[in-house]
């Protein structure tokens, strides 16, 4: 790896995370099926489908739920190309690598065996690998749909409806905000370091540089938290948080919730072994 | 180590959510007491820092690169409760906002990385760095070892969770329904990567950060240093309310001690040498050992050692006290008094050593 490798790849990772978040905000603003539903319905409904995916024991039911997820994506103007690059290929690669040896390692009825009999593919192993990949693909697609169609603040407000303590919701909101600030700060520190670096850095220097960058970021973070605390206190913060909730359920939302729950229960019922 | 949805069965997830719930509840309670209104901004900003730190690409010895978890530095700066909350919040945002790690497995991920990781990191750091000066080299080593072991402990827990899936959850044909590998495969597969790469990354970043803070911002290391005057971020002395609860429990237990005489028979194994000689004693021993043949005489070792030490209050009751209940109560008070006197003496000794160390 070149001297700039670690810097460049960290910069790339930070930029990619920030740009993903921006794309989510754009998609969430477009009109679509999921976007039209109350965020609480979206959170509860998509969570119910994810749970149904993990509860179902049949590959066919998991694949059917995957089809439902793709349909929801199309109706919510989430392009399949975006899902393919952000979810499907990534999951296929990572879970595929994990699931592949299971085809050979799972004991069961052999379908194909190598001449010596040392390597054999079992029906059980193949079924386990397909089930695992289908499950992970479907669950991650559903979670990504929620993330893409719901602004973070709405997800948080929806969590309040499920009686998550207000302090936790407030911390999630603030953390999200400071991830962008600290992410940008880290990017700038890396950029300035990169612009001052001539030639190659050896690995030890790269490590030292990374640890020091992290150290400066840590000091800045704690300093920032003190400033934020003083600012909050001066505005009357006494430790208890109030989150406004302007959501109102309409008949359309109840219909959506019923459809989600019905699909989830049906999947679990049909998918039981 | 972020377990996605689909790898663990719903029942495993439920158990781990419950386990994580206990950790979250206790951590939140403790952090509320110590940080009060400062909790929200400090934990939030630290969670954001951990999140960003997880994205740092770290070149490791041997030509690979790795990512740190950030749990060790969180445990060192905030203490275990603060670290549990900060890392859990960072993991929740990763799952809910970036789709990294599952929703059904969020409890498992928080249990492994935030709770197990924080507790192991904190315990090891305190153990090795105990009493060392803030700028001591020992703290850097302690952070590295803590980081390495915390990451591997978290990975081991995850590996066990993966490994029990095929045994517990498979269909009638024997198809594993979730993670397909047994413990024999899951543990080595998971541990090799963490022992070789992820653990090293966490160790390098934790040690590097502690070394940096020693030079640039030593105040941040004081909270968990165990040194005098280090209560800035750490837990304060136990609040009066829980001390009162502790005393009430001790008093109640002392009052209940006479109940011991209501329980019939002798505690298993607590036979005296004399009992082997008496027919009633022999019968009691036989009954307690499912009628195993009782030796004709007391075992030689028991006979010899039984006279070695005679308690000042034989059989828990002074001879002068005729009432068994009163004797029990008196013994309990005496016992508790002894323990308290001993712990107070230790506390005084430690305080004296600390003040002597500061003035010297």
């Amino acid at each position: 790896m070149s001297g700039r490798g670690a810097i460049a790849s960290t910069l790339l990772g930070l930029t990619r995370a920030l740009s993903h978040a921006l794309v989510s905000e754009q998609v969430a603003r477009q009109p679509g099926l999921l976007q039209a539903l109350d965020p609480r319905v979206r959170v509860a409904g998509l969570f119910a489908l994810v749970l149904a995916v993990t509860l179902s024991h049949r590959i066919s039911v998991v694949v059917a739920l995957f089809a439902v997820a793709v349909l929801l994506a199309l109706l919510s103007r989430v392009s399949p190309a975006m899902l393919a690059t952000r979810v499907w290929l990534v999951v296929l690669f990572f879970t595929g690598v994990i699931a592949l040896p299971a085809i050979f390692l799972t004991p069961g009825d052999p379908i194909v065996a190598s001449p010596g009999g040392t390597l054999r593919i079992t029906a059980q192993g193949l079924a386990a690998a397909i089930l695992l990949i289908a499950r992970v693909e479907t669950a991650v697609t559903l979670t990504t749909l929620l993330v893409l169609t719901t602004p973070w603040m709405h997800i948080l407000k929806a969590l309040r409806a499920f009686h998550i303590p207000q302090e936790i919701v407030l911390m999630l909101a603030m953390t999200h905000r400071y991830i962008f600030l600290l992410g940008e700060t880290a990017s700038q520190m890396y950029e300035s370091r990169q612009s001052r670096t001539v030639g190659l850095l050896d690995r030890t220097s790269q490590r030292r540089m990374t640890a020091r960058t992290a150290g400066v970021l840590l000091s800045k973070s704690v300093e920032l938290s003190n400033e934020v605390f003083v600012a909050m206190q001066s505005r009357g913060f006494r430790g208890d948080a109030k989150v406004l909730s302007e959501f109102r359920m309409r008949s359309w939302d109840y219909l959506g919730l019923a459809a989600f729950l019905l699909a989830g229960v049906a999947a679990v019922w049909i998918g039981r072994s | 180590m972020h377990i996605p949805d689909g790898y663990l069965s719903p029942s495993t997830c439920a158990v781990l959510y419950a386990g994580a719930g206990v950790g979250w509840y206790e951590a939140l309670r403790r952090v509320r007491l110590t940080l009060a209104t400062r909790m929200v901004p400090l934990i939030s900003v630290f969670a954001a820092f951990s999140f960003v730190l997880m994205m740092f690409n770290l070149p490791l010895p041997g030509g690979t690169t790795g990512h740190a978890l950030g749990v060790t530095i969180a445990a060192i700066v905030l203490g275990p409760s603060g670290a549990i909350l900060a890392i859990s919040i960072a993991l929740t945002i990763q799952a809910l906002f970036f789709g990294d790690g599952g929703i059904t497995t969020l409890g498992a991920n928080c249990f492994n990385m935030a709770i197990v990781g924080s507790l192991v990191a904190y315990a090891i750091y305190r153990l090795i760095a105990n009493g060392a000066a803030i700028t001591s080299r020992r703290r850097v080593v302690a952070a590295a070892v803590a980081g390495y072991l915390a990451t591997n402990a978290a990975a081991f827990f995850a590996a066990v969770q993966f490994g029990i899936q095929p045994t517990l959850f498979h269909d009638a044909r024997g198809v594993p329904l979730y993670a397909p590998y047994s413990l024999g495969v899951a543990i080595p597969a998971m541990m090799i990567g963490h022992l070789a790469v992820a653990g090293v990354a966490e160790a390098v970043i934790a040690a590097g950060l502690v070394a940096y803070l020693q030079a640039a911002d030593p105040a941040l290391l004081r909270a968990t240093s165990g040194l005098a005057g280090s209560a800035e971020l750490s837990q304060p002395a136990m609040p009066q309310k829980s001390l009162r609860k502790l005393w009430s429990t001790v008093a109640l237990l002392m009052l209940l001690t006479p109940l011991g005489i209501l329980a019939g028979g002798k505690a298993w194994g607590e036979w005296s040498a004399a009992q082997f000689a008496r027919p009633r004693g022999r019968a009691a021993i036989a009954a307690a050992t499912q009628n195993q043949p009782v030796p004709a005489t007391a075992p030689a070792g028991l006979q010899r050692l039984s006279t070695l030490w005679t308690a000042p209050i034989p059989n828990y009751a002074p001879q002068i006290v005729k009432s068994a209940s009163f004797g029990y109560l008196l013994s309990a008070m005496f016992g508790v008094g002894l323990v308290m006197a001993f712990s107070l003496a230790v506390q005084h000794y430690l305080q004296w050593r600390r003040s002597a160390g500061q003035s010297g």
Side-chain angles (χ1 to χ4, degrees):
Chain A
M1 187 191 285
S2 77
R4 286 172 197 160
I7 305 178
S9 53
T10 304
L11 260 175
L12 194 69
L14 286 166
T15 319
R16 198 174 289 155
L18 302 186
S19 65
H20 264 195
L22 284 177
V23 172
S24 304
E25 296 281 326
Q26 277 170 2
V27 176
R29 261 188 253 124
Q30 289 174 348
L33 177 73
L34 284 173
Q35 290 91 329
L37 288 171
D38 186 290
R40 289 168 295 180
V41 173
R42 254 177 281 169
V43 171
L46 290 168
F47 281 10
L49 288 188
V50 171
L51 195 62
V53 169
T54 56
L55 279 168
S56 173
H57 291 181
R58 284 176 199 270
I59 295 172
S60 54
V61 173
V62 178
V63 172
L65 285 170
F66 182 76
V68 170
V70 175
L71 188 69
L72 281 174
L74 291 173
L75 294 174
S76 310
R77 299 199 185 189
V78 177
S79 80
M82 187 198 286
L83 283 178
T85 50
R86 247 176 101 153
V87 180
W88 298 336
L89 290 175
V90 180
V91 171
L92 190 66
F93 177 73
F94 282 104
T95 306
V97 167
I98 292 171
L100 192 67
I103 297 174
F104 307 100
L105 291 175
T106 311
D109 316 321
I111 315 173
V112 188
S114 67
T118 44
L119 265 186
R120 51 186 201 162
I121 296 176
T122 62
Q124 280 82 347
L126 199 61
I130 294 172
L131 185 60
L132 184 69
I133 293 174
R135 244 197 244 285
V136 179
E137 288 280 13
T138 312
V140 180
T141 307
L142 288 166
T143 317
T144 309
L145 277 183
L146 174 70
V147 171
L148 283 174
T149 59
T150 319
W152 178 240
M153 282 300 142
H154 285 186
I155 295 185
L156 290 181
K157 281 185 187 173
L159 289 181
R160 276 295 301 139
F162 302 115
H163 298 286
I164 310 266
Q166 283 194 336
E167 291 153 308
I168 300 286
V169 175
L170 186 62
M171 284 196 271
L172 284 168
M174 283 184 68
T175 305
H176 177 259
R177 187 165 303 166
Y178 290 112
I179 280 171
F180 288 95
L181 183 66
L182 294 180
E184 206 177 304
T185 311
S187 286
Q188 287 167 353
M189 281 157 71
Y190 270 103
E191 261 168 10
S192 66
R193 186 69 175 84
Q194 195 175 21
S195 62
R196 279 180 277 129
T197 306
V198 179
L200 299 176
L201 279 178
D202 60 49
R203 296 182 73 79
T204 315
S205 313
Q206 283 182 49
R207 257 198 308 282
R208 198 173 299 141
M209 188 266 307
T210 308
R212 282 180 186 165
T213 310
V216 174
L217 195 65
L218 175 60
S219 297
K220 282 187 180 188
S221 305
V222 176
E223 207 171 295
L224 177 71
S225 89
N226 289 335
E227 285 169 7
V228 171
F229 171 60
V230 174
M232 284 166 80
Q233 225 177 14
S234 67
R235 285 164 178 78
F237 178 70
R238 293 289 172 271
D240 54 335
K242 296 271 182 293
V243 183
L244 292 175
S245 176
E246 69 266 16
F247 298 144
R248 196 158 293 154
M249 292 281 279
R250 296 152 300 163
S251 48
W252 168 248
D253 296 317
Y254 285 110
L255 202 68
L257 185 64
F260 273 123
L261 295 182
L262 199 68
V265 171
V268 175
W269 179 257
I270 301 168
R272 74 194 192 285
S273 54
Chain B
M1 211 192 303
H2 294 60
I3 307 173
D5 286 313
Y7 279 77
L8 300 181
S9 75
S11 45
T12 315
C13 295
V15 170
L16 289 164
Y17 257 115
V22 174
W24 290 330
Y25 178 81
E26 190 54 26
L28 193 60
R29 195 184 66 80
R30 281 168 187 254
V31 173
R32 264 187 198 141
L33 281 174
T34 48
L35 295 175
T37 49
R38 274 196 67 186
M39 174 179 85
V40 170
L42 185 66
I43 300 290
S44 306
V45 174
F46 217 95
F49 166 73
S50 310
F51 188 102
V52 174
L53 186 66
M54 288 183 213
M55 287 192 218
F56 278 27
N57 217 325
L58 194 67
L60 297 175
T64 53
T65 56
H67 294 267
L69 270 181
V71 68
T72 315
I73 194 66
I76 291 172
V77 175
L78 297 175
S81 303
I84 288 174
L85 288 187
I87 302 297
S88 296
I89 290 206
L91 291 173
T92 307
I93 293 185
Q94 282 186 331
L96 285 182
F97 190 71
F98 290 91
D100 195 3
I103 291 171
T104 56
T105 51
L106 180 63
N109 285 327
C110 287
F111 184 86
N112 299 336
M113 288 184 267
I115 297 177
V116 173
S118 299
L119 295 179
V120 171
Y122 182 73
I124 302 289
Y125 175 74
R126 284 297 300 264
L127 193 74
I128 299 178
N130 186 30
I134 289 289
T135 51
S136 160
R137 189 95 188 135
R138 184 140 56 98
R139 291 201 176 270
V140 179
V141 176
V145 178
Y148 188 73
L149 292 179
T151 306
N152 282 297
F156 181 75
F157 270 76
V160 171
Q161 288 151 21
F162 283 136
I164 58 172
Q165 299 303 311
T167 322
L168 296 178
F169 310 100
H170 50 79
D171 68 5
R173 287 188 305 144
V175 176
L177 293 169
Y178 302 97
Y181 304 109
S182 62
L183 286 168
V185 178
I187 292 178
M190 189 83 181
M191 294 316 294
I192 288 168
H194 285 87
L195 286 167
V197 181
V200 181
E202 181 74 7
V204 166
I205 208 84
L209 278 171
V210 167
Y212 173 83
L213 291 179
Q214 283 180 330
D217 209 345
L220 288 184
L221 295 173
R222 287 211 76 84
T224 58
S225 63
L227 300 172
S230 58
E232 194 194 342
L233 292 172
S234 67
Q235 287 134 24
M238 197 185 266
Q240 285 303 316
K241 210 170 139 195
S242 43
L243 264 185
R244 215 173 294 141
K245 246 193 247 170
L246 178 71
W247 283 124
S248 327
T249 315
V250 170
L252 185 71
L253 284 174
M254 279 160 66
L255 286 174
L256 288 178
T257 42
L259 283 181
I261 57 168
L262 294 180
K266 189 102 178 134
W268 199 94
E270 289 188 13
W271 305 300
S272 64
Q275 264 182 299
F276 284 88
R278 287 199 298 264
R280 265 183 68 189
R282 295 177 64 78
I285 295 172
T289 54
Q290 294 181 329
N291 292 324
Q292 294 285 322
V294 181
T297 54
L302 179 66
Q303 192 87 54
R304 195 174 68 247
L305 295 175
S306 62
T307 53
L308 191 68
W309 165 252
T310 318
I313 311 172
N315 291 334
Y316 300 118
Q319 301 291 335
I320 46 162
V321 182
K322 298 296 173 204
S323 153
S325 306
F326 185 70
Y328 256 82
L329 196 60
L330 203 68
S331 303
M333 286 164 69
F334 191 71
V336 170
L338 265 181
V339 172
M340 273 170 47
F342 179 72
S343 53
L344 278 174
V346 171
Q347 195 183 340
H348 274 294
Y349 172 71
L350 286 177
Q351 268 173 357
W352 170 77
R353 254 191 60 176
R354 217 174 274 164
S355 54
Q358 267 180 347
S359 58

